[in-house]
Amino acid sequence: MKEWTSGKIKAIALIVTTYAFAKFQGGFASWFLFYSSLVFLAYELFAYFLMFAGLEVEREIDRTRLREGEDVIVTVRLKRRIWFPLGWNMVIEPLPDRLAGVFEPHRQLIFPWFKRSVEFRYVIPGLPRGYYHLQACVICGGDFFGFIERRRTYPLFNDFLVYPRYRELTNWSLGDGNFSGTVHVSHRHSDDVAAVRGVRDYQRGDRLSQIHWRASARGTGLKTKEFEHQAMNQVVFFLDVEKERYRNKPPQLFETAVKLTASLTAYANRNQYHYGLVYKQKDRVAIPPACSPAHFFRVFDQLARVMPEGTDSFVRILSREALEQPPGVTLTVITARLDKALVALLTQLSQRGRRVHLLYVHADPLLTLEEKQALRLLASGRVTCKSVPMSDFEEWKRIGGA
């Protein structure tokens, strides 16, 4: 508005000045200047009112799924129905909130001339893990003489996910080195009648083809076929996202916890283990154990979005969610804080016959005396423990028990 007011005053002053000069001076040259200024005024009026007439803005991103540290290429297209007015455009691409303090908003100066379509690309490099959305695009325009300038915001929306970076683990030992939970291996066909050795109660995650319909029809509930060859390989990850537990700690500590969860997920998926994920940020996220390419991306989608912004107590969430898991499932807890309530809960779960595995992520290279005592207390309660220093992410190869 200020630019237009200033330009309007300048244009009116130019017309008045040339008219006064022609009126008092007279002659061909002075009146020629006056009529030339009228042509200039007509151009300015057309340029102002037709600046964004028929202008369309499109934005595309080359990928919607990336890995941490990769670059995303953004393409912006400006299309107009008519080539007038001649002038310039400044395209301003606001960045997501998480990147606002890292990169400057991209600005692109364009002189379309007689082109009806203009395209340019820019790169957002080294993206950290997270969920990002690019929203409104701001277009500024003006004439060649600098008398007018207008701005318009075009509502656009593009989103993409950046998955956490993970390490290829060579081994993951849970106490005796075996997973728990009865889940069929991938090479066993459920329709092989000769391999059925019995039936059991239906558990969440069982396929419909595994249900024994004749036994279920007896009225005792759904029953699932049990086969000769089965694998003990079911695990659920409980990720600590409580905000208070990461207060006054390095921001990379939570990122290390997410990378650890992603590494274990990739290991479980590679070895055809059934795995799930549970956490509560604002909304409850509970993905039951399964194993498939779609399930893998479902878990990683959540690992890309998660932030340490939970308000509920992690101990309370763990005690409630652990009861929802069927017996035999390995409960893997990833946290950055050891307190008495958590130690007591994990010990209690272990004494009830639940298989519990604790992965403690810490910022300091060495554990304090209290942390060592807490881990020893958990180990005496048959809880498999492992401390993971934040600085050793690049050296992860084996995640064993303490």
Side-chain angles (χ1 to χ4, degrees):
M1 179 61 70
K2 292 182 179 180
E3 291 82 357
W4 166 238
T5 302
S6 176
K8 180 171 62 176
I9 294 174
K10 293 178 182 179
I12 294 175
L14 177 63
I15 297 298
V16 172
T17 302
T18 55
Y19 177 77
F21 177 74
K23 192 69 174 177
F24 292 101
Q25 180 68 23
F28 173 80
S30 58
W31 285 106
F32 177 80
L33 289 176
F34 171 69
Y35 291 118
S36 298
S37 63
L38 291 180
V39 175
F40 167 78
L41 179 62
Y43 163 76
E44 295 293 334
L45 291 175
F46 277 108
Y48 179 80
F49 290 106
L50 298 179
M51 183 66 65
F52 300 111
L55 180 62
E56 299 178 357
V57 182
E58 299 177 356
R59 183 201 291 132
E60 293 181 359
I61 55 178
D62 61 336
R63 290 172 293 172
T64 58
R65 298 293 187 272
L66 301 93
R67 288 188 61 178
E68 182 180 357
E70 292 183 343
D71 305 338
V72 62
I73 301 176
V74 183
T75 303
V76 180
R77 296 185 183 92
L78 275 65
K79 298 180 180 179
R80 61 175 69 245
R81 298 175 185 174
I82 57 176
W83 56 265
F84 189 85
L86 294 175
W88 56 269
N89 289 112
M90 173 69 77
V91 182
I92 304 175
E93 281 277 272
L95 293 174
D97 295 337
R98 290 192 61 197
L99 299 178
V102 181
F103 303 105
E104 291 291 333
H106 182 79
R107 299 173 183 268
Q108 186 78 27
L109 181 61
I110 298 175
F111 294 95
W113 299 105
F114 295 98
K115 298 179 181 178
R116 295 189 180 182
S117 178
V118 181
E119 173 182 303
F120 69 90
R121 295 180 176 87
Y122 69 95
V123 178
I124 305 178
L127 287 167
R129 178 195 65 86
Y131 169 65
Y132 300 96
H133 51 272
L134 303 175
Q135 294 186 348
C137 178
V138 179
I139 308 294
C140 299
D143 65 313
F144 281 123
F145 303 100
F147 281 88
I148 63 171
E149 180 178 343
R150 292 187 64 188
R151 175 185 296 235
R152 177 172 293 185
T153 301
Y154 288 83
L156 302 176
F157 185 84
N158 301 86
D159 61 340
F160 56 93
L161 285 171
V162 180
Y163 290 149
R165 189 162 54 96
Y166 61 87
R167 301 290 296 176
E168 295 288 346
L169 303 180
T170 58
N171 182 57
W172 178 19
S173 175
L174 291 178
D176 59 357
N178 295 322
F179 282 94
S180 58
T182 306
V183 179
H184 299 279
V185 295
S186 58
H187 61 271
R188 171 55 59 190
H189 299 287
S190 60
D191 56 355
D192 187 358
V193 179
V196 178
R197 67 174 185 179
V199 295
R200 58 173 174 82
D201 292 335
Y202 173 82
Q203 295 180 0
R204 185 169 54 184
D206 290 343
R207 294 177 296 178
L208 291 177
S209 59
Q210 298 173 349
I211 296 178
H212 198 295
W213 296 107
R214 182 175 298 178
S216 302
R218 297 172 184 172
T220 57
L222 289 176
K223 300 296 181 180
T224 304
K225 303 173 187 176
E226 276 194 311
F227 298 90
E228 291 292 338
H229 300 285
Q230 293 182 326
M232 309 295 285
N233 55 4
Q234 204 169 14
V235 59
V236 174
F237 301 105
F238 291 87
L239 181 59
D240 186 359
V241 299
E242 185 182 349
K243 186 175 182 178
E244 291 297 326
R245 303 174 77 89
Y246 294 94
R247 188 180 299 275
N248 299 325
K249 293 184 179 180
Q252 289 301 319
L253 185 62
F254 180 74
E255 295 301 319
T256 303
V258 175
K259 292 174 183 177
L260 176 59
T261 307
S263 300
L264 298 176
T265 300
Y267 179 87
N269 184 77
R270 188 171 63 252
N271 290 275
Q272 296 296 311
Y273 301 148
H274 284 223
Y275 53 91
L277 176 66
V278 174
Y279 70 84
K280 185 178 181 182
Q281 192 171 315
K282 294 181 180 179
D283 299 323
R284 174 178 177 267
V285 174
I287 303 177
C291 184
S292 67
H295 182 75
F296 177 78
F297 286 106
R298 182 185 177 190
V299 172
F300 261 69
D301 282 354
Q302 296 300 327
L303 291 178
R305 298 171 184 267
V306 66
M307 291 295 170
E309 299 174 354
T311 56
D312 295 350
S313 171
F314 175 67
V315 176
R316 189 181 302 111
I317 294 173
L318 178 60
S319 62
R320 182 174 63 249
E321 295 292 343
L323 299 177
E324 299 291 332
Q325 306 302 323
V329 174
T330 301
L331 309 178
T332 302
V333 180
I334 300 97
T335 184
R337 180 178 175 182
L338 290 176
D339 51 23
K340 294 182 180 179
L342 180 61
V343 172
L345 175 61
L346 297 182
T347 304
Q348 183 180 13
L349 291 173
S350 179
Q351 292 175 351
R352 292 179 179 177
R354 307 305 297 264
R355 187 182 297 274
V356 183
H357 188 199
L358 172 67
L359 294 170
Y360 175 57
V361 182
H362 52 93
D364 298 328
L366 300 177
L367 296 175
T368 63
L369 180 60
E370 292 78 7
E371 292 171 338
K372 292 181 180 179
Q373 291 177 350
L375 291 178
R376 282 197 293 265
L377 181 61
L378 288 170
S380 64
R382 296 184 300 176
V383 176
T384 306
C385 305
K386 175 66 178 180
S387 62
V388 182
M390 182 178 66
S391 58
D392 288 351
F393 169 69
E394 296 297 336
E395 302 298 329
W396 291 354
K397 290 184 179 180
R398 301 169 61 88
I399 301 295

